[in-house]
Amino acid sequence: MHTTADEPTTTPNVGLFVTCLVDLFRPQIGFAAVRLIEDAGCTVDVPMAQTCCGQPAYNSGDRKDARAIAENTIRAFEGFDYVVAPSGSCAGMLKKHYPRLFADDPAWKERAEAFASRVHELVSFLADVMGVEKVSASHATTATYHDSCSGLRELGIAAQPRALLGSVEGLTLNEMPDSDVCCGFGGTFCVKYSDISNAIVEKKTAAIEESGADMLLAGDLGCLMNMAGKLKRQGSRVEARHVAEVLAGMTDGAPIGGRG
Amino acid sequence: MQITSPNFKQNAVQALQDAQLQKAMGNVRAGFIDKRRKAADALPEFEALRDAARDIKDHTLAHLDLYLEAYEKKVTEAGGHVHWAETAEDARRIILDICRMQNAKTVTKGKSMITEEIALNDFLALAGIEAVETDLGEYIIQLRGEHPSHIIAPAVHVNKDQVEADFRRVHDYLAPNRDLSEPESLLDEARRVLRAKYFEADVGITGANFLVAETGSSVIVTNEGNGDLTQMLPRVHVVVASIEKIVPTLNDVGQILRVLARSATGQDMSVYTTFSTGPRRRGDPDGPEQYHVILLDNGRSSMLGTEFQDMLRCIRCGACMNHCPVYHAVGGHAYGWVYPGPMGAVLTPSLVGVDKSGHLPNASTFCGRCESVCPMRIPLPKMMRSWREREFERGLNPATQRYGLKLWAAFAKRPRLYKFATSLAIPALSLFGGRKKRFSALPFAGGWTRFRDLPAPERRTFMQQWRQGAAVSRRGPT
């Protein structure tokens, strides 16, 4: 991996926020993130006291539990130079919504804001903070990239993953129509309003197929599980992977949702 | 209008099964999204204008009482009358009184969501007064006995063949063999029929896109000119507008107009933008003899000073619904009241109560596209979340959801317990997932597996692997 940033005088110490879905469903994304962050010149540690970012509670209106979870997370990550998550949605929660959770508690608000200022989504951390322009991975395939909503609209992630994917040897990016339109996952939305969610993801899988790509990439495991689950149900041959797996060259194992 | 928002889920399922509706909703993208993008891209100062528009409204809302009083004074000076209506009932009563004074039989209407909100047409019909909608889309759905499904494209859910059938059914006095195969011929027929109504009408009722405090003017924006004929031809012009439509000056209107049509239809400006100030003056060649303004509150003043005040910046352009994946999937009627889509998801609970519309702020994926296109920069997802918090505090969500969430939170708050539980559950689930590494049915995940396979987890969680140093290096299996 090559970086353009000036060599830091000390090695940045990164705390990896694994995200609950990555922890439970696809640890490989976490290991890919560790590899990418280390290759960018940082040390990585994973605080054991983390669980989930608290979005299910926060977005369901349960502010009290969301705050309790946020306090845990903030405590667990104090002392790191950066907090990095392989998810735009979770990073958006930590960065944009934690400070709002403590709007009426000045002491915690300050702590949450200090924490938020150190939080980054993985690909944006590599490109925007560490100045990574190229990765050494290679993977011969045609891929299409879905812009997950929180990463795109809360954190401005669109160009960075495309630029880094462009440096993967052998990989061709075929854009799908409406790549910036929601896949219908939406956390608990996909279960509470499963009929509507299904209608939305059907449009998304049609767009994915229209791109002609063999591989679907995105930066959020929630969206990927939704889209991969629908692709598999429809008997599609398109394989789904987290963008970090490809950038880290960790594409030997089965794709999300398995093969065939 | 009867509220069916509590049935949102059933409404949505019905809408998803309506093949005709699904086809019609496909037009929203071509009709609105691409055009908005082009219009915004073509105007370098578009983003700055959005900021200016937001600031104008914020300033106005902070001094709403002063601007409303100034406006009333100017209207009165121009020879018009201002009527204050606290509730929908008050507004209907005032309008009926005005109509009765004129002994009105026929009333023409320029499209106005506010008269939908106060269910004016049915009320006037009960009093023996025929209200005729003159916007083509409104006219079509009036013939069909429906309500608008979009705030600027009320009949976006109806296709051409349906309109032809409706015209043949209602206009049964016209030649049965006439050609109605083209949109133009449908438009011609509507124009002919409506033209007679304009001259017949005793009272013309319009909404207002803006009220100008500086001049006492009401402003309407249309593409068909129907609003102009509605307010110019009858003896009496009644403007029905909610209190937040006020802006301080003509210059402010000019600025907000620049983002309105671009956000709505992708036009630089609507075809007609008409300012009305008072009744016909001596020497005027035309115009109404009387000019009345009904200023409706209907719950809006209770939003002032709350986390929902920003919603009062809304200029009803419809951009949020045009860009909402949920609106695209189910159309506007599923939302069950006057205001659909993301703006409705915030406004409806504000106006009719969250107990009657609790689904609406929940039926969002929080994708944020609505906020990203809102010309007034209204933080719609944030306000939907505020509604969800109020619902949660009041215990309005279904018990199963609450308990499920509480159970999950009990683990998420306790990292050790969480790790212990997941380190047992995940290997079991993984084993269960079989060789295909996915589930096509799971007893506790029916909401998911009805429509999608669920990717199965790997055998051990990340945390287990990391802690146990399973990999040779900490960089995982290579």
Side-chain angles (χ1 to χ4, degrees):
Chain A
M1 190 174 296
H2 310 274
T3 68
T4 54
D6 294 336
E7 284 298 311
T9 46
T10 55
T11 309
N13 178 21
V14 172
L16 183 69
F17 185 83
V18 180
T19 90
C20 59
L21 288 181
V22 167
D23 176 33
L24 304 182
F25 282 89
R26 201 156 172 90
Q28 159 155 276
I29 296 168
F31 288 110
V34 171
R35 180 175 292 182
L36 288 165
I37 298 166
E38 286 184 351
D39 285 352
C42 308
T43 59
V44 181
D45 202 359
V46 181
M48 282 293 133
Q50 59 177 305
T51 57
C52 161
C53 67
Q55 267 193 89
Y58 182 60
N59 285 341
S60 301
D62 181 358
R63 200 183 177 100
K64 198 165 141 254
D65 280 326
R67 270 181 69 144
I69 294 164
E71 286 172 15
N72 271 351
T73 309
I74 293 170
R75 272 194 213 101
F77 282 90
E78 271 165 346
F80 287 100
D81 297 323
Y82 298 106
V83 181
V84 174
S87 155
S89 173
C90 308
M93 177 70 190
L94 307 182
K95 198 171 180 65
K96 302 284 172 176
H97 298 284
Y98 273 18
R100 285 182 190 163
L101 269 174
F102 300 102
D104 52 0
D105 183 339
W108 265 107
K109 185 164 191 272
E110 202 186 319
R111 239 170 127 177
E113 276 168 355
F115 167 81
S117 71
R118 294 180 286 119
V119 169
H120 300 275
E121 183 275 342
L122 173 66
V123 180
S124 132
F125 176 73
L126 298 174
D128 302 336
V129 179
M130 299 308 295
V132 176
E133 290 180 340
K134 281 183 183 170
V135 292
S136 54
S138 65
H139 190 84
T141 192
T142 51
T144 194
Y145 180 80
H146 165 74
D147 295 273
S148 292
C149 299
S150 302
L152 175 68
R153 296 192 186 88
E154 289 185 348
L155 305 173
I157 298 164
Q160 306 92 322
R162 289 178 170 87
L164 286 181
L165 286 169
S167 74
V168 173
E169 200 189 314
L171 188 139
T172 311
L173 209 54
N174 285 3
E175 293 287 346
M176 68 173 97
D178 294 329
S179 68
D180 62 339
V181 174
C182 180
C183 73
F185 173 63
T188 54
F189 173 87
C190 68
V191 180
K192 282 197 263 186
Y193 299 95
S194 56
D195 294 277
I196 303 173
S197 174
N198 177 52
I200 299 173
V201 75
E202 273 183 353
K203 286 179 197 160
K204 183 53 74 174
T205 53
I208 292 165
E209 299 284 4
E210 201 182 320
S211 76
D214 296 321
M215 183 182 282
L216 165 69
L217 295 172
D220 268 274
L221 183 53
C223 315
L224 281 162
M225 286 172 70
N226 181 42
M227 294 182 288
K230 190 70 203 178
L231 286 167
K232 290 296 164 197
R233 180 63 59 92
Q234 291 172 330
S236 168
R237 309 298 298 178
V238 175
E239 295 192 345
R241 286 187 188 277
H242 191 282
V243 67
E245 297 175 39
V246 174
L247 295 180
M250 290 168 62
T251 48
D252 293 344
I256 296 166
R259 287 210 163 86
Chain B
M1 174 173 172
Q2 203 197 340
I3 301 167
T4 66
S5 305
N7 303 329
F8 175 80
K9 268 192 173 181
Q10 295 93 302
N11 296 349
V13 170
Q14 226 170 33
L16 289 166
Q17 289 164 353
D18 184 340
Q20 191 288 121
L21 172 71
Q22 290 301 320
K23 201 166 156 230
M25 295 311 294
N27 299 334
V28 173
R29 179 174 178 270
F32 293 110
I33 296 180
D34 298 343
K35 286 180 184 168
R36 178 205 168 268
R37 186 177 296 136
K38 279 189 196 118
D41 289 348
L43 187 70
E45 67 268 37
F46 188 70
E47 294 305 314
L49 276 172
R50 287 173 71 185
D51 289 338
R54 175 199 56 204
D55 294 346
I56 289 167
K57 275 283 189 177
D58 277 350
H59 166 82
T60 314
L61 291 169
H63 307 283
L64 191 60
D65 50 345
L66 298 178
Y67 284 116
L68 285 169
E69 280 172 16
Y71 168 77
E72 179 183 30
K73 192 159 165 276
K74 284 290 175 185
V75 173
T76 311
E77 279 172 20
H81 306 275
V82 172
H83 309 263
W84 299 80
E86 198 182 326
T87 64
E89 173 67 46
D90 295 341
R92 288 192 296 256
R93 175 64 50 195
I94 295 163
I95 296 165
L96 180 61
D97 286 348
I98 295 169
C99 290
R100 287 226 165 110
M101 295 276 279
Q102 298 302 315
N103 205 12
K105 300 277 184 297
T106 304
V107 167
T108 42
K109 286 182 64 205
K111 187 173 123 57
S112 146
M113 292 310 290
I114 203 83
T115 57
E116 291 289 335
E117 181 182 322
I118 64 173
L120 183 64
N121 290 4
D122 291 345
F123 181 78
L124 289 178
L126 283 175
I129 298 169
E130 184 198 16
V132 183
E133 294 292 348
T134 61
D135 172 275
L136 177 63
E138 286 275 339
Y139 180 66
I140 290 166
I141 57 169
Q142 187 177 30
L143 297 187
R144 298 172 62 80
E146 292 181 2
H147 295 285
S149 68
H150 188 289
I151 59 174
I152 65 159
V156 73
H157 60 284
V158 180
N159 68 25
K160 189 171 68 66
D161 295 341
Q162 290 172 305
V163 178
E164 177 176 352
D166 291 325
F167 278 15
R168 289 195 189 284
R169 175 172 56 79
V170 178
H171 304 159
D172 54 2
Y173 46 88
L174 298 175
N177 60 349
R178 65 196 188 279
D179 177 27
L180 291 177
S181 59
E182 294 301 319
E184 288 74 19
S185 49
L186 291 166
L187 194 63
D188 280 345
E189 177 160 319
R191 183 181 282 134
R192 261 200 316 279
V193 171
L194 286 170
R195 186 154 292 174
K197 295 289 182 188
Y198 288 122
F199 291 104
E200 218 177 284
D202 309 291
V203 174
I205 300 175
T206 66
N209 290 84
F210 305 98
L211 304 171
V212 191
E214 179 185 31
T215 58
S217 310
S218 56
V219 184
I220 58 167
V221 168
T222 71
N223 275 323
E224 300 170 17
N226 62 304
D228 301 42
L229 294 171
T230 301
Q231 63 184 28
M232 294 292 279
L233 292 176
R235 293 193 302 281
V236 176
H237 176 201
V238 176
V239 179
V240 193
S242 47
I243 52 174
E244 83 281 12
K245 294 285 176 182
I246 194 110
V247 289
T249 66
L250 289 172
N251 185 44
D252 295 328
V253 174
Q255 293 206 57
I256 300 178
L257 279 171
R258 295 187 71 198
V259 292
L260 174 59
R262 285 180 169 90
S263 302
T265 51
Q267 295 165 287
D268 291 353
M269 285 285 282
S270 299
V271 179
Y272 299 91
T273 302
T274 309
F275 291 68
S276 300
T277 313
R280 174 198 302 214
R281 281 160 300 192
R282 189 198 293 265
D284 281 353
D286 51 21
E289 292 161 17
Q290 286 182 32
Y291 177 82
H292 295 269
V293 183
I294 322 292
L295 281 179
L296 178 72
D297 182 339
N298 210 26
R300 286 164 176 80
S301 56
S302 69
M303 296 162 71
L304 291 167
T306 73
E307 66 239 77
F308 303 110
Q309 175 170 312
D310 290 349
M311 190 63 222
L312 297 173
R313 294 204 297 257
C314 179
I315 54 172
R316 308 289 190 265
C317 68
C320 60
M321 56 197 72
N322 294 341
H323 290 77
C324 174
V326 176
Y327 179 89
H328 279 192
V330 302
H333 285 154
Y335 289 81
W337 199 53
V338 186
Y339 302 107
M343 56 83 71
V346 176
L347 194 57
T348 304
S350 302
L351 298 185
V352 307
V354 72
D355 49 330
K356 295 198 191 83
S357 50
H359 269 299
L360 306 190
N362 287 287
S364 163
T365 65
F366 280 160
C367 79
R369 214 170 170 215
C370 51
E371 182 177 358
S372 73
V373 297
C374 174
M376 307 305 288
R377 299 202 190 281
I378 299 172
L380 291 156
K382 179 174 158 235
M383 286 189 290
M384 286 179 224
R385 200 176 279 115
S386 293
W387 274 124
R388 295 183 191 187
E389 283 178 6
R390 291 199 177 188
E391 267 186 279
F392 192 86
E393 281 159 20
R394 288 173 57 184
L396 293 173
N397 349 34
T400 49
Q401 274 175 32
R402 293 178 70 80
Y403 291 134
L405 196 64
K406 279 286 167 196
L407 183 67
W408 165 84
F411 285 97
K413 285 191 289 190
R414 297 172 179 82
R416 280 167 188 277
L417 180 65
Y418 179 87
K419 276 187 193 64
F420 177 69
T422 54
S423 68
L424 293 180
I426 289 299
L429 192 61
S430 173
L431 204 66
F432 208 55
R435 281 177 52 204
K436 282 205 156 176
K437 291 196 174 277
R438 60 179 182 264
F439 305 96
S440 48
L442 263 185
F444 54 87
W448 182 283
T449 55
R450 246 175 87 209
F451 298 112
R452 296 154 285 224
D453 289 355
L454 180 71
E458 292 169 30
R459 220 161 47 75
R460 289 188 303 157
T461 68
F462 178 90
M463 288 300 185
Q464 277 178 296
Q465 295 183 48
W466 181 265
R467 191 165 46 184
Q468 293 164 9
V472 179
S473 78
R474 281 181 142 190
R475 296 169 57 156
T478 47

